[in-house]
Amino acid sequence: MSDQFRTVIEPFRIKAVEPIAMTTREEREKFLKAANFNPFKLKSEQVIIDLLTDSGTSAMSAEQWAGMMRGDESYAGSISWQRLERVVRDLTGYPHILPTHQGRAAERILYSHLGGEGRTFLSNTHFDTTRANVEFSGAEAIDCVTPEASRADSDFPFKGNADVERMAELVAERGAENIGAIILTVTNNSGGGQAVSMANARAVRDLCRKHDLLFILDACRIAENAWFIKQDEEGYGGKSCREIASEMFALADGCVFSAKKDALVNMGGFLALNDAELAEHCTSVLIITEGYTTYGGLSGRDMEAIAIGLDEIFNEDYLRYRTRSTAYLGEHLDRLGIPVIKPIGGHAVYVDAGKLYDHLPVDQYPGQSLVCELYKMAGIRSVEIGSVMFGKYDDGGKLVPAPRELVRLAIPRRVYTQSHVDYIIEAFERVRDQRHSAPGYRITWEPKFLRHFTSDFEPI
Ligand code: F0G
């Protein structure tokens, strides 16, 4: 008989608990209206299950909390920094490590230097802060994801792959000297949390070598990505996820890393680079805007927790549970007839709200409608990643919609148990049964950048 049980349990037990405040539908309707129908503006105690993001929402381990007590808060040369630097260098192989307070600080430092008017960045998909940092510098960010990604019926395991042929065409069109960098986001968050294969990373590396381009990994979910490679890519079944991640780092010239995901902490990040000259420039900006080189924007205790988290994340019992529990939610929603992106990604389940609410046109933001319905129904907070997040206006002020109207159910790491997930599934059953009565929304106020965070809405 196999040693493996059908039931994949949470490979941890719970030492500290946080109460969840239960609310009624009537209360939630009031809260949502006060938040101008933007769940980003809800107060956390108004939320029952928070699937807004997997970023900075992890439960830390006893070991990480113990590490926090050891945190060395010296301004320069802290022991905690030395530990973090060693761990990151061992994992990534990059010699120059710059600590930052989170991922987007690393992005700002790097892309403001590489960007500027006339520059182009190519990526499988730029995450929203990545795109904003690139565009804020005056450069252009172009997504080149594999065409497989938009085939709903395909269960190709690497739908996060870059379309390397398309990238090569763009390099030829724009001129290699005008390319700021090629950024491979693993897993591909905005594309569906889908994995990128090692073969694809290798193809990107080859393209970069050929034209002398900089290859940057946006590596914040690289452990989850490594798990998928181990399961689905030929030749990797016998390797450890840590080895697989290291192999991928070795293909690139550096990485930006938000530690708030696969380093299992609530705050932190880093930039790591091979090139000494580039690192020197970035270090100057780091000191001016984040902090001295041995802490960036971080406390010693944060650095200690990241160093430990980067080790824990590669525990394969954890990664099995992590990916299995995300898939459990996705598969149950699929069985209910909720259109989900397949295969299910590592950190989140993506629901196609455009299909679920096919009575709503894109300019009435079906994704925003689903996000609001889930909250009213069950106190579940999720995030729209459709035309609210990625939509633009043409010169005539008409909405240019995103390719798909998705809603992301991001799963915080080590936080929710199976009964929480069963509750979410039950909520979706009700959402499905009442789908025809979900209203459209219009935007009543919006800022210039990253409008999904702060826009106001009203139901139509
Ligand atoms: N890159 C990717 C792929 C991300 O998912 C994020 C953050 C960042 C960069 C920026 O990192 O938040 O530490 O500044 N993603 C969060 C999310 C916000 O909800 O997906 P950060």
Side-chain angles (χ1 to χ4, degrees), residues 200-212:
N200 190 252
R202 220 173 282 125
V204 171
R205 190 270 318 260
D206 292 345
L207 177 69
C208 289
R209 282 248 174 100
K210 187 170 164 200
H211 298 283
D212 197 20

Side-chain angles (χ1 to χ4, degrees), residues 254-272:
C255 72
V256 287
F257 196 101
S258 167
K260 300 170 74 171
K261 286 80 172 174
D262 272 357
L264 296 166
V265 296
N266 307 118
M267 192 52 71
F270 56 84
L271 169 63

Side-chain angles (χ1 to χ4, degrees), residues 121 131 137 157 198 236 320 356 433:
F121 289 72
R131 171 172 290 280
S137 81
M198 193 71 79
Y236 287 93
R320 173 178 298 109
L356 181 68
D433 294 344

Side-chain angles (χ1 to χ4, degrees), residues 52-55 102-104 107 127 129-130 185 189 218 220-221 258 260-261 268 408:
L52 187 66
T53 179
D54 64 319
S55 180
Q102 60 182 94
R104 69 196 68 178
E107 293 177 341
F127 179 66
T129 59
T130 318
T185 311
N189 184 5
D218 182 344
C220 60
R221 297 182 182 87
S258 167
K260 300 170 74 171
K261 286 80 172 174
R408 184 182 73 169

Side-chain angles (χ1 to χ4, degrees), residues 91 222-224 226-227 240-246 249 257 262 264 309-319:
L91 174 65
I222 197 166
E224 290 169 4
W227 174 264
S240 73
C241 290
R242 196 177 188 286
E243 285 170 329
I244 294 170
S246 290
F249 280 120
F257 196 101
D262 272 357
L264 296 166
L310 282 174
D311 182 47
E312 290 180 355
I313 196 72
F314 288 107
N315 177 306
E316 299 194 6
D317 289 328
Y318 162 78
L319 284 170

